[in-house]
Amino acid sequence: MKKLYLTLIAIFSIGITAKSQITYCEPYFNNGCFNWNNKEITLDSINWVLGSSDCAISDYTSMGTTLTAGVPTPMTVLNGAWCGVGVWVDFNYDGDFDSTENLYYMYTAGDPQTYSFLITIPSSTADGDYRMRVIAG
């Protein structure tokens, strides 16, 4: 059985740990992130809740979980004012999150809005640590 090790990253990039030599861009929001942010993220053993100073923090690579490739895994994201959610994983270790690595995107009007969905790591994904990014926007 393949296992995939995930580590939480960011604004909320929920990060999955990638190779240490890779440099990832920090998410930047021209108008700040006041209410346009993730407030809670749940994925397997990750249960993250926004703290009072977390709006300026985007690296949560100390958090992680193990997922099995090919098996749909429930994920829940609670966002603030009128935000969608996008989830990417850098499967090819190239330091960015491109459209082929997008596992989920949805926008539904609401303040706040809860998104509950399944993500599936492709079964061809090699065992290892990967970085995941979860963005409210």
Side-chain angles (χ1 to χ4, degrees), residues 62-107:
S62 63
M63 295 179 171
T65 194
T66 301
L67 300 181
T68 303
V71 176
T73 304
M75 184 170 183
T76 302
V77 178
L78 172 65
N79 285 345
W82 307 95
C83 291
V85 64
V87 179
W88 294 261
V89 175
D90 184 13
F91 290 117
N92 61 4
Y93 296 116
D94 67 351
D96 63 16
F97 302 93
D98 57 45
S99 61
T100 63
E101 299 170 317
N102 181 248
L103 298 180
Y104 183 79
Y105 175 79
M106 179 60 65
Y107 172 80

Side-chain angles (χ1 to χ4, degrees), residues 38-54:
N38 296 303
K39 301 201 176 293
E40 297 177 11
I41 296 176
T42 304
L43 174 63
D44 195 53
S45 64
I46 295 172
N47 291 297
W48 176 86
V49 177
L50 178 70
S52 61
S53 64
D54 287 351

